[in-house]
Amino acid sequence: MENIKLHYDVIKDDFSCAGEASGKIKKTLKGLGLDSALVRNVAIAVYEGEINMVIHAEGGCIDAEISPDTITVVLKDVGPGIKDVQLAMQEGYSTAPENVRALGFGAGMGLPNIKKYSDEMNIETEVGVGTTITLKFNI
Amino acid sequence: MKIRELVSVIDGEIVYGKDFVENEVFSACGSDMMSDVLAFVKEQAVMLTGLVNPQVVRTAEMMDMKCIVFVRGKRPDMSMIDLAEERDIVLVCTKLEMFTACGKLYENGLRGASGK
């Protein structure tokens, strides 16, 4: 089977569409007949990442590649970057503004949830430039 | 617990999904923070929330949830109903407060769950 590649753009502050990309990736994985728990883990991790991009970044893109044994998702944004990754990984730590909290996010669970639901997580970030999160899920 | 029974226990009104009332929900969570909901995983769950925006439906979608209950008389708008319709998620409204709605469901046998 040839690897399946998916690409989606994520737009800054577009809360009404936040989750579109994650939903489409989930639908594709479901259509491939993959285990429902795995599909859910991918969907949740990517959704948290997508929400983070909408909240914190100036926009970005999500690329997913599905091979017979791995799902790799790269979430790349242009934005402020993460000043202290270790701190950002702590449950409950959040820099989200009040309007984002009113929407039900900014509980400081985004990055911890992404780590929890993925098999591998790598964060590359530069303050003032942007953040790239690479996730791997074993099939 | 069947969704039909859940609606009766909390004196709810089905806003969307009358065709799915015979479906079962096996666990529940109650929160206005979607990130907390996303930290909770269980098959065929119901979410109780006082939050009303499209991300509530999208969160339920990612979690494979079958039903959302809006407490304290909150009502979903058309954009949320459309999203729920595309995803076969039942939307229920109740005038009960979160604590009371959760308590009634717990009293009737529904339980919470957490962890990956």
Side-chain angles (χ1 to χ4, degrees):
Chain A
M1 181 183 87
E2 201 170 305
N3 289 0
I4 296 168
K5 291 180 183 178
L6 305 167
H7 174 88
Y8 303 98
D9 290 318
V10 178
I11 300 158
K12 183 196 177 192
D13 290 337
D14 189 354
F15 280 104
S16 60
C17 288
E20 280 281 341
S22 314
K24 283 176 182 166
I25 290 170
K26 185 178 187 198
K27 209 171 173 184
T28 302
L29 297 177
K30 224 173 169 179
L32 291 169
L34 294 173
D35 175 64
S36 64
L38 168 68
V39 173
R40 191 167 55 228
N41 288 348
V42 176
I44 295 168
V46 178
Y47 181 54
E48 287 279 21
E50 188 176 354
I51 291 287
N52 269 351
M53 287 166 92
V54 172
I55 294 171
H56 297 290
E58 298 296 316
C61 59
I62 301 175
D63 284 282
E65 183 165 355
I66 306 150
S67 76
D69 55 2
T70 317
I71 300 160
T72 306
V73 183
V74 180
L75 302 113
K76 186 179 171 63
D77 71 52
V78 176
I82 304 168
K83 277 185 192 142
D84 187 335
V85 174
Q86 214 178 346
L87 194 57
M89 287 301 300
Q90 277 181 23
E91 288 189 8
Y93 177 80
S94 175
T95 58
E98 199 50 47
N99 63 326
V100 168
R101 289 170 200 256
L103 289 167
F105 292 92
M109 292 301 289
L111 288 176
N113 273 350
I114 295 173
K115 187 175 172 60
K116 176 179 166 184
Y117 289 111
S118 57
D119 291 305
E120 266 181 58
M121 174 188 189
N122 181 52
I123 302 176
E124 286 172 66
T125 186
E126 195 177 338
V127 173
V129 178
T131 301
T132 300
I133 298 179
T134 304
L135 305 175
K136 284 193 193 297
F137 303 85
N138 302 323
I139 294 176
Chain B
M1 181 185 288
K2 287 193 172 176
I3 292 175
R4 177 173 43 78
E5 191 187 343
L6 174 150
V7 172
S8 155
V9 166
I10 58 172
D11 197 15
E13 175 202 342
I14 299 171
V15 176
Y16 171 74
K18 286 195 170 71
D19 294 345
F20 306 115
V21 290
E22 296 305 317
N23 287 354
E24 294 259 0
V25 289
F26 297 119
S27 62
C29 70
S31 181
D32 289 353
M33 292 307 291
M34 293 302 104
S35 282
D36 283 343
V37 175
L38 288 161
F40 157 103
V41 170
K42 203 73 183 174
E43 293 274 356
Q44 282 184 257
V46 53
M47 180 203 322
L48 293 94
T49 187
L51 192 68
V52 181
N53 70 53
Q55 297 312 324
V56 174
V57 184
R58 293 198 189 271
T59 297
E61 173 194 7
M62 302 309 160
M63 302 293 291
D64 292 328
M65 285 176 163
K66 303 294 174 196
C67 180
I68 303 168
V69 175
F70 297 96
V71 298
R72 307 194 299 268
K74 301 285 182 78
R75 295 193 76 85
D77 63 16
M78 269 320 289
S79 70
M80 294 174 68
I81 294 170
D82 288 345
L83 279 174
E85 194 173 346
E86 287 162 21
R87 291 154 180 81
D88 294 343
I89 296 170
V90 181
L91 303 182
V92 177
C93 293
T94 177
K95 290 197 170 105
L96 299 179
E97 292 167 3
M98 175 74 93
F99 181 81
T100 310
C102 290
K104 281 184 179 264
L105 291 174
Y106 191 93
E107 195 177 38
N108 281 271
L110 206 57
R111 293 290 180 267
S114 59
K116 188 177 177 180

